[in-house]
Every structure is written in C-alpha cells, then in structure tokens.
Amino acid sequence: MKHNSQVFVLPLEHIQIHPQVLSISKPKKMDHIEYTMEKYKQLMPVLGNLVDGTFYITDGVLRYEVAKKLGMPTLKCLDASTTDKDVIRVRMTSNQRSKMSYMEMATYAEHTLGVIGKSQGKKRKSWLGMEAIEDDDNFGLAGKDLYELTCHLLDLPIKASSLRKLMAVKWFEDENPGNNFGIMSGLEEGNYKIDKAYQLVVDFNFKKNEGYTEIDLYPIKTENYEVIHGSIEDITLPENMEIDVIFTSPVYYKLRRYGDDPNEMGWEKTPQLYAERLVDSLMTPYNRLKETGSMFVNLGETYDKGRCLAVIEHVVIEMVKRGMFYVDRIIWKKDANKPISNQNHRFQPSYEVVLHFAKSKNYYFDRFRVKKDDIDYKISRGCKDYGWDGVNYFVPNFYKQLRTVLSENELHDIVTVQTNSSRIKHVVGEHHHPATFSQMLPAIFLSTFCPKPTVDYKPLVFDPFLGGASCGRTALMMGYRFSGVELYEKNVETSKRILAESLKEFEPRALNQIEAEMVYELVA
C-alpha cells in the first residue's frame, strides 16, 4: 500500500461501498466515466473512510464499479474520516452531477427537511402535510416553499408535490422491510411514474386497513343498469338494444390523461383526427337510437398558445357529414371555472356546450314542468303516508335542485347548474375520476327529451364514455334504465357502486305520488 498525504492507492479487494451509500445506490449509466477512465485512467480519487485496512467508499461509487469492469487492480482513495451519521449529509452536499436515483432523491430530501428515521412518523404527517398529500395547496407546517427549496438545493428533476409522494413511497418500503411489493424498484426501472407508485401505496394501505373491499358486491348488471367494460370503439352492442337518449361527456381534446392506455382518445395529432375518431365512436350508439331518440354531447374547447383549435366546430361538421340531424347547441354556463393565465389575452372561460343531435326530425320533446313556488310540499325518506308498507325513497331535494337550474318563466338554451354540490362523491380508497360533471346537467335534457318512465316501460339512457357515472346516477334517480361503456377498470368499480347506490335513492311510487299532488307550470 502506497501512502501520499491522505491519498491511498489500494487494491480493489480492500475496497467496499459504504453500507449507507449501498442502501440507496442504484445502477446508473456509466458510459462516459468508463470511456474517460479507460483512456486517462483514474484522475480523481474516490472519497471514503479507511477502517482496519478496508476502505469504505462514500462518494465515487461509479468510478469503483468502472474500475472493476475494466479490471483495474487499484484505485486512488482519499480518506475523509466521515462519521457514519454524516455520510449521507456529506454525500448530498458534494459536487456530484450524475443522475440521482429515486431512492437518493427521497433520502437526501429527508435530510434537508429534517425528518430522518422511522421514529419521525407523527412529525412527518403534521410537519410535511402527509395527511393532506392529495391537496397541492396544503404542505403541512413545513409549507410548500420548503419543499420547493429542497428541490432547488438538491437540483431535483421533480416538483414539490411529486417529491412528497416519492417520500411517502420510500417510507412505505422502509416500514415494510423484506416485502415483495417492489414499488420503488418498479419506479427506478421506469415501469411507471411517481404518481402511479404513490397510488399503489394508497391501494395497498386501503386493502390492508379495510380488509376485503365491498366494492365487488356491487353488480355490473341489473334489471335497471349495465356497465360494459371496454372501449366504445371495439365493443358490439346487443342487437335488440333500443336507446331513447344518449347523454355523454367524452374525453376532451388534449386536456388530460384519464388512464394508462397509450391509445387513449383525445391525443390525436389534429382536431380533425380527434373529431373523426370521436364521431366514429358515437356512431355505434347513435345507430341504436330510436327514431324519436336524441343524443347530447357535452364538449369543452381547447386552446394552444392562445389559439382556439375550433374542436367543437370540427366535431359538429363531422357529425353533420355523417347524416346526423343537428338540433341545437346549448350553452352550459359555468361560473366556477378555473381562471386562465394572465399570459392568455382572451376572456375568462365560463361555458361549455351541449350539442343536441337527433335520429330524425320526429325526436321526442315534452315541455318541462317545475313546481310552483307557492306550494310547500316536503317529503323525506321513511315517510309512511302513501298507503303501503316499507321504507320509501325519492330523490332528495330533487325538485328544489331542478328549480335552481331554470329561469323563472322558461328554459333557455343557456343553462346553469350547481357544479360542485351535485358532483359525484367518492369514498375512501376509491379512484378519483379527474373530470366528473354535475349530475344535474343531464336532468334537464332527460326531463325534456326522454319519455317519462311508466309501469310498462322504462326508457333506456346510454353513455358511451361512462367515467364517474354522473349521467347514470341521474338516469336511475329519475326512474330510467341506464347502460354505459367504460374503458378503465378503476372507473368501472366506482360506477358499479354509484349506480347500485343510486337505485336506493328512487322509489317510483313515491315520486308518482309527489307529481300527482303538486301544481306545475310550463317552462319550456
């Protein structure tokens, strides 16, 4: 062994990676280092601790791995005499520029944020806002600024919200030593991104804490509804299916991803290709519409660098080209839309459209009626005054809610609905659909353009892009039958629950009794 100041030249068999560094090190690309070491040999010594004749590397793992690969007999080593508790701190503050592994990112962030060790569980939750991890505005007592500072100091290629989820994934694996979940390794291998890794942790914890989920108890098909798992582009509808009304809110053009299907609709190269693909899909249920049937398509516009892409116009023109009977374009006024950036020089968005197409000019239309304000009628679940035994159900505050979406005297082609209070509510552990719409929106169109349910016949409402089953919930609560198609299994499970529960919120005899005793006025 040659000694020169603090630099030692040691045989490789006397060199090891420090255990703390080994626990977070992951395979990295080393082509560049291999090339330079082969051509110029080792220029910079590796950093570490010399203990009882063995040198433990704390910084320079790649140089050590390349030396072994090239068959180099020795390495230059610089003894830093770093204490074990400071190994990670020194390593994270050294001038390293190789790409970090996810495990390194999370470990270094622990040190920066001051939450090291398994005993920090309670502090982690309150200090780092782990109990509100889905809320991008709530980063606990530490605050979002500290997360962002951590990302900046460590030069991390991820944002503050992703860092918090990454740390949650690391802690999950720390708290389950020897497990076979492989969530972090799958992340390192590029099988999925941080959001997916975190969702896997959430799913595991939910199943572990809650035991068997009851969601499988909900049927995929009953006499009143059916959920069809698959893509509307690929499935074949039953030959005897006759649809009274189609109401759907398909995926919008280039606004968000709904799942991991690489061929998911909405990401075509041009608005025209999107319109063609969307209308191809809509033709499947449209061909099953009755001659008196209507189709309603809720769409929002897409903008690119300040330019309107005219997506809605492309869709309308494509529908007309296919021979669909174009009835109307209804404006859905949305007062609670998110504001746009100040960099966009246009008015704040405040509406979407509902396109009305029919199978023929003989589409069904019944002028809408709502309760007059001077009638004070109240009914609640469990009322027994209808002349039959058993618990009665109806749509809670349904007529009151409908009254709020209409003007005083008539139904205009500009409608407003309550967007937040009437959205689908998810349960713990359930996948949250990113784009549910108000369940009150379909109620207006079903009440006017779909025949009323009778003892002998329940009209069928169809949604080819089921999503969170908002339309299905409304249809069942109004006494209709419902069928919907959904691509993603996670949304199918949510829809099964929502639809099954919706059936319990409607009792036809109770609703018929209400209608018989109320006084109405025409509004459309």
Side-chain angles (χ1 to χ4, degrees):
M1 179 176 68
K2 299 178 182 178
H3 175 253
N4 181 16
S5 183
Q6 288 185 310
V7 176
F8 301 86
V9 179
L10 296 177
L12 253 63
E13 57 264 28
H14 292 171
I15 301 174
Q16 297 180 24
I17 301 172
H18 194 286
Q20 289 198 36
V21 177
L22 185 62
S23 68
I24 64 173
S25 294
K26 298 294 178 182
K28 298 177 182 177
K29 187 176 181 180
M30 51 187 182
D31 296 353
H32 177 69
I33 294 179
E34 182 179 347
Y35 173 81
T36 55
M37 286 186 65
E38 187 174 24
K39 186 172 184 178
Y40 302 108
K41 306 304 179 184
Q42 181 192 5
L43 299 178
M44 295 292 294
V46 296
L47 192 68
N49 299 334
L50 183 62
V51 181
D52 297 331
T54 299
F55 189 82
Y56 295 92
I57 296 176
T58 58
D59 188 9
V61 173
L62 283 183
R63 277 166 279 168
Y64 170 67
E65 297 291 349
V66 169
K68 290 194 298 181
K69 182 177 181 180
L70 295 178
M72 297 173 61
T74 61
L75 269 183
K76 298 175 184 177
C77 305
L78 178 62
D79 183 14
S81 299
T82 306
T83 62
D84 286 347
K85 70 175 184 178
D86 288 331
V87 165
I88 298 298
R89 181 184 61 79
V90 172
R91 179 179 169 82
M92 63 187 278
T93 55
S94 65
N95 187 29
Q96 52 180 342
R97 280 295 177 262
S98 58
K99 183 179 179 182
M100 290 189 201
S101 69
Y102 286 109
M103 181 64 79
E104 287 175 320
M105 293 183 201
T107 302
Y108 296 165
E110 281 182 330
H111 284 259
T112 304
L113 292 167
V115 284
I116 310 166
K118 296 180 181 179
S119 62
Q120 299 289 315
K122 292 184 179 179
K123 182 178 179 181
R124 288 170 176 172
K125 289 183 178 180
S126 58
W127 177 243
L128 302 183
M130 287 298 175
E131 293 175 335
I133 199 168
E134 298 292 347
D135 185 354
D136 286 345
D137 296 322
N138 184 354
F139 279 76
L141 298 175
K144 189 174 184 178
D145 289 345
L146 185 55
Y147 274 96
E148 292 177 338
L149 179 61
T150 299
C151 292
H152 177 72
L153 290 175
L154 299 178
D155 194 24
L156 301 183
I158 58 176
K159 295 181 179 179
S161 57
S162 295
L163 174 61
R164 182 163 58 167
K165 291 179 179 178
L166 175 62
M167 294 172 71
V169 175
K170 177 187 181 297
W171 292 338
F172 170 78
E173 298 221 336
D174 287 347
E175 293 163 2
N176 294 275
N179 69 74
N180 296 317
F181 307 126
I183 297 177
M184 185 63 83
S185 62
L187 185 60
E188 301 284 10
E189 293 167 7
N191 296 337
Y192 38 74
K193 298 184 187 283
I194 293 176
D195 283 349
K196 177 62 176 178
Y198 172 71
Q199 188 59 49
L200 291 173
V201 171
V202 172
D203 292 344
F204 172 84
N205 286 330
F206 174 73
K207 292 178 180 179
K208 179 181 178 181
N209 296 332
E210 300 296 328
Y212 292 105
T213 173
E214 292 185 358
I215 201 142
D216 288 334
L217 299 178
Y218 297 116
I220 200 168
K221 181 178 181 179
T222 71
E223 180 182 348
N224 294 286
Y225 71 81
E226 178 179 11
V227 178
I228 303 172
H229 183 203
S231 169
I232 188 61
E233 297 178 279
D234 302 325
I235 66 166
T236 300
L237 297 178
E239 288 293 334
N240 60 348
M241 177 179 279
E242 290 186 325
I243 302 172
D244 291 272
V245 167
I246 301 167
F247 190 99
T248 190
S249 184
V251 292
Y252 293 1
Y253 182 58
K254 288 191 174 181
L255 290 187
R256 59 164 56 89
R257 289 279 185 186
Y258 293 85
D260 53 9
D261 188 332
N263 194 38
E264 183 180 273
M265 186 182 297
W267 295 93
E268 293 71 25
K269 289 185 178 180
T270 66
Q272 179 58 38
L273 290 175
Y274 164 77
E276 292 173 1
R277 185 177 177 188
L278 173 60
V279 178
D280 281 343
S281 300
L282 293 174
M283 288 301 297
T284 298
Y286 181 81
N287 288 334
R288 299 301 176 87
L289 267 181
K290 292 182 176 181
E291 284 300 304
T292 56
S294 287
M295 177 170 69
F296 299 92
V297 182
N298 169 219
L299 276 180
E301 191 52 81
T302 302
Y303 299 85
D304 180 26
K305 299 178 182 178
R307 180 171 64 99
C308 177
L309 299 185
V311 173
I312 297 173
E313 283 74 16
H314 279 86
V315 171
V316 170
I317 292 173
E318 189 64 29
M319 286 178 163
V320 172
K321 283 170 57 179
R322 305 290 183 95
M324 295 185 182
F325 190 87
Y326 188 20
V327 179
D328 202 359
R329 174 190 299 219
I330 299 94
I331 302 299
W332 172 18
K333 188 173 182 293
K334 301 176 67 177
D335 295 329
N337 260 14
K338 292 182 179 180
I340 61 174
S341 167
N342 291 331
Q343 303 302 316
N344 293 312
H345 298 164
R346 65 176 187 272
F347 293 145
Q348 294 291 336
S350 62
Y351 77 93
E352 292 180 7
V353 304
V354 179
L355 302 175
H356 180 191
F357 285 82
K359 193 63 176 288
S360 72
K361 64 180 180 179
N362 299 317
Y363 58 89
Y364 177 90
F365 178 72
D366 184 22
R367 295 194 176 275
F368 192 76
R369 304 179 303 166
V370 295
K371 174 190 167 189
K372 283 188 176 179
D373 292 335
D374 57 357
I375 300 295
D376 184 16
Y377 190 93
K378 193 173 183 180
I379 185 171
S380 59
R381 178 180 176 181
C383 181
K384 301 279 186 175
D385 58 354
Y386 293 112
W388 68 86
D389 296 327
V391 178
N392 306 314
Y393 297 90
F394 71 103
V395 183
N397 296 322
F398 190 64
Y399 287 98
K400 179 181 177 183
Q401 284 181 293
L402 275 182
R403 191 68 182 89
T404 66
V405 306
L406 304 173
S407 65
E408 289 300 320
N409 298 306
E410 60 183 337
L411 186 61
H412 292 281
D413 57 5
I414 299 179
V415 298
T416 305
V417 300
Q418 300 170 348
T419 56
N420 293 324
S421 62
S422 54
R423 287 185 184 273
I424 292 296
K425 302 299 189 295
H426 290 281
V427 299
V428 176
E430 189 173 76
H431 171 72
H432 283 240
H433 194 278
T436 59
F437 61 87
S438 170
Q439 67 195 56
M440 294 309 301
L441 182 63
I444 303 171
F445 301 95
L446 295 181
S447 299
T448 308
F449 296 96
C450 192
K452 303 299 180 287
T454 66
V455 175
D456 299 323
Y457 179 68
K458 289 182 179 180
L460 177 63
V461 178
F462 187 88
D463 185 350
F465 298 93
L466 183 60
S470 299
C471 177
R473 174 173 170 79
T474 303
L476 293 177
M477 291 171 69
M478 296 178 70
Y480 297 110
R481 290 180 299 133
F482 176 77
S483 179
V485 179
E486 174 52 41
L487 174 63
Y488 293 112
E489 176 68 29
K490 55 192 177 184
N491 292 334
V492 169
E493 294 301 319
T494 301
S495 299
K496 286 163 59 179
R497 175 190 65 81
I498 290 171
L499 297 176
E501 291 178 353
S502 299
L503 286 176
K504 300 178 182 179
E505 298 186 46
F506 175 74
E507 167 53 60
R509 294 172 295 181
L511 190 55
N512 290 340
Q513 184 71 18
I514 295 173
E515 291 183 335
E517 296 190 9
M518 284 186 173
V519 178
Y520 294 86
E521 60 182 345
L522 295 180
V523 293

